[in-house]
Amino acid sequence: MRLLPLVVTVVFTVAVAYYIYIPLPDAIQEQWKLMLLDAGFRTAMHLASLKHWLGIDHYITSIRGSTSVFEGTMKGFMSSESGSAVIPGVKVSDIEFVGIPVRLYEPPAGGEGHLRRGLMYFHGGGWALGSGKKGSYDANNRIVSDELNTVVVSVEYRLYPEVHFPVPYLDCLAAAKHFLSPEVLAKYAIDPERVAVAGDSAGGNLAAAVAQEISLDESMSVKFSVQALIYPVLQALDFNTPSYIQNQHIPVLHRTLMVRFWLQYLGADLSLLPQLMVNNHSASHHSTITPELRSRVDWTTLLAQKYKKNHKPVTAEKGSNEDVKVPGLLDVRASPLLAGPEVLAKCPRAYVITCEYDVLRDDGLMYTRRLQDAGVTVTNDHIEDGFHGSFSFTTWPMEFDVGKRMFRGYLNWLQNNL
């Protein structure tokens, strides 16, 4: 009987290690930290699924609750350790732009006698999670404001399940138009020739879509001068690109989760997920998906060979499934990669971060290629040891060296190009 506690301890330890451990590519650094982070996120999702199944709470709102508790705990700890992200002199205000909540960061240098940069930021989170007011988003925007003498506006666009496409996009577009108005730029002493739009993941999707629309709007006297897209999600036609296959089990954005995010955003039936995983929603018999549209997301021609490797395209044939219909699938406001070359040619200069170990890698690489083909100057910062979400992992305890390098690269590019 004296061995029982030891046996129980060993079994429990092995079980926990088995749950936490996942095989990761050798190039990814700080692997156990990433495994622990992924295990925590998976646990939150499992609990959220259980609560949703029991009718206690919605899946997404439950995950929000779990992350809020964690962020609150970390904020309290950081404050007690004087690790707060507060930067003296940066003025932070929670206001509204045409009814849309935004957080405004004004640099300490002030605007008297000289104009400042401007930047509008859209946070990521699969159009369902996240807030620009929390965690690394808030910390990083404070740093941008301080170091680059920039007025930063972080937009709190509405999220699923309260809304779906096109509401988040329309929120961001309305906020962007207000920000770019001569009156608002003058109020905050912003140089109209030095205004950027940026975002990560789903926020990168929104930034790209908004940049396209603004560039086409002849009524706008001021347009964005640059765009910074951090591992953006840009298309929903092909969930079998080389990066979707290669990285389908890499934290923190698994392939099935990204497909689910798309279904939620577009207001589609979540039971369609298995169909989208095998590209039945974009089967060859769909007449609305023209050869021209397919060419705009054709990774076999848009990707370099080192990314294509030996992967083969997956195109469902007629008869695979006749009833897979996804609303908004071909809307360029949802899928900016589908925009025509005449639209891309008018877009601002771009900075695109892609990560080798990210299902969205190829979305960013294809958009880089298509923008360049349209004559737009693009800097593609490809992070060989990067994974999805790493740009946000810059503050303790979710602090990764790759995240700090990525954020510094973003800062440097803005410094030199905005």
Side-chain angles (χ1 to χ4, degrees), residues 64-127:
R64 288 181 195 162
S66 297
T67 55
S68 292
V69 169
F70 176 78
E71 288 168 349
T73 302
M74 291 304 104
K75 183 177 181 180
F77 180 86
M78 290 175 69
S79 296
S80 66
E81 295 293 318
S82 300
S84 172
V86 172
I87 296 176
V90 173
K91 180 183 177 183
V92 180
S93 309
D94 290 324
I95 60 175
E96 290 188 352
F97 277 8
V98 290
I100 299 157
V102 302
R103 174 162 284 191
L104 180 74
Y105 304 83
E106 297 177 77
E112 300 81 5
H114 64 279
L115 296 177
R116 305 172 299 185
R117 296 179 175 95
L119 183 144
M120 176 160 277
Y121 196 90
F122 305 134
H123 68 82
W127 308 282

Side-chain angles (χ1 to χ4, degrees), residues 6 37 90 141 216 281 297 362:
L6 177 61
L37 176 66
V90 173
N141 283 331
L216 295 173
H281 65 301
V297 296
D362 295 344

Side-chain angles (χ1 to χ4, degrees), residues 133-147:
K133 296 180 180 180
K134 298 178 180 179
S136 62
Y137 287 122
D138 180 61
N140 290 348
N141 283 331
R142 290 173 189 263
I143 294 170
V144 171
S145 180
D146 179 54
E147 292 194 16

Side-chain angles (χ1 to χ4, degrees), residues 237-252:
L237 280 185
D238 190 353
F239 294 115
N240 288 271
T241 64
S243 63
Y244 264 112
I245 300 303
Q246 171 187 300
N247 303 312
Q248 58 185 313
H249 301 303
I250 301 293
V252 293

Side-chain angles (χ1 to χ4, degrees), residues 95-367:
I95 60 175
E96 290 188 352
F97 277 8
V98 290
I100 299 157
V102 302
R103 174 162 284 191
L104 180 74
Y105 304 83
E106 297 177 77
E112 300 81 5
H114 64 279
L115 296 177
R116 305 172 299 185
R117 296 179 175 95
L119 183 144
M120 176 160 277
Y121 196 90
F122 305 134
H123 68 82
W127 308 282
L129 305 169
S131 168
K133 296 180 180 180
K134 298 178 180 179
S136 62
Y137 287 122
D138 180 61
N140 290 348
N141 283 331
R142 290 173 189 263
I143 294 170
V144 171
S145 180
D146 179 54
E147 292 194 16
L148 302 186
N149 190 33
T150 301
V151 176
V152 179
V153 176
S154 179
V155 181
E156 292 292 288
Y157 56 91
R158 285 172 285 178
L159 302 170
Y160 174 90
E162 290 78 16
V163 300
H164 53 74
F165 176 79
V167 175
Y169 163 81
L170 294 175
D171 282 356
C172 293
L173 180 62
K177 287 186 174 182
H178 182 76
F179 185 46
L180 291 170
S181 67
E183 297 78 16
V184 172
L185 295 177
K187 177 180 179 180
Y188 296 109
I190 298 171
D191 186 343
E193 300 296 322
R194 304 174 79 187
V195 189
V197 63
D200 65 294
S201 194
N205 167 284
L206 294 165
V210 167
Q212 287 183 7
E213 179 59 29
I214 294 290
S215 69
L216 295 173
D217 191 340
E218 298 299 330
S219 70
M220 298 290 295
S221 60
V222 179
K223 301 178 186 293
F224 290 115
S225 52
V226 300
Q227 57 181 323
L229 312 177
I230 298 127
Y231 37 70
V233 50
L234 298 167
Q235 60 86 29
L237 280 185
D238 190 353
F239 294 115
N240 288 271
T241 64
S243 63
Y244 264 112
I245 300 303
Q246 171 187 300
N247 303 312
Q248 58 185 313
H249 301 303
I250 301 293
V252 293
L253 184 63
H254 299 263
R255 181 170 169 244
T256 52
L257 180 59
M258 188 63 247
V259 176
R260 182 187 179 113
F261 279 149
W262 266 116
L263 288 170
Q264 292 173 169
Y265 183 45
L266 296 177
D269 188 339
L270 296 183
S271 69
L272 293 176
L273 191 147
Q275 301 291 339
L276 269 64
M277 294 285 284
V278 293
N279 285 351
N280 278 347
H281 65 301
S282 56
S284 58
H285 69 274
H286 286 299
S287 59
T288 54
I289 308 176
T290 64
E292 172 61 27
L293 280 177
R294 293 185 189 278
S295 71
R296 296 173 186 176
V297 296
D298 183 5
W299 59 263
T300 65
T301 59
L302 294 172
L303 293 182
Q305 182 58 44
K306 68 177 181 177
Y307 300 115
K308 291 188 289 187
K309 298 180 180 175
N310 295 320
H311 293 281
K312 303 296 182 184
V314 175
T315 304
E317 300 299 328
K318 186 173 182 179
S320 300
N321 193 300
E322 301 290 340
D323 301 313
V324 181
K325 295 181 180 178
V326 180
L329 181 67
L330 304 181
D331 194 322
V332 296
R333 300 175 301 170
S335 299
L337 187 57
L338 293 179
E342 71 285 354
V343 174
L344 299 183
K346 295 185 177 182
C347 287
R349 284 178 296 126
Y351 176 68
V352 182
I353 292 180
T354 52
C355 292
E356 179 62 26
Y357 301 106
D358 179 7
V359 293
L360 300 180
R361 180 198 69 187
D362 295 344
D363 282 26
L365 291 174
M366 288 190 286
Y367 200 53

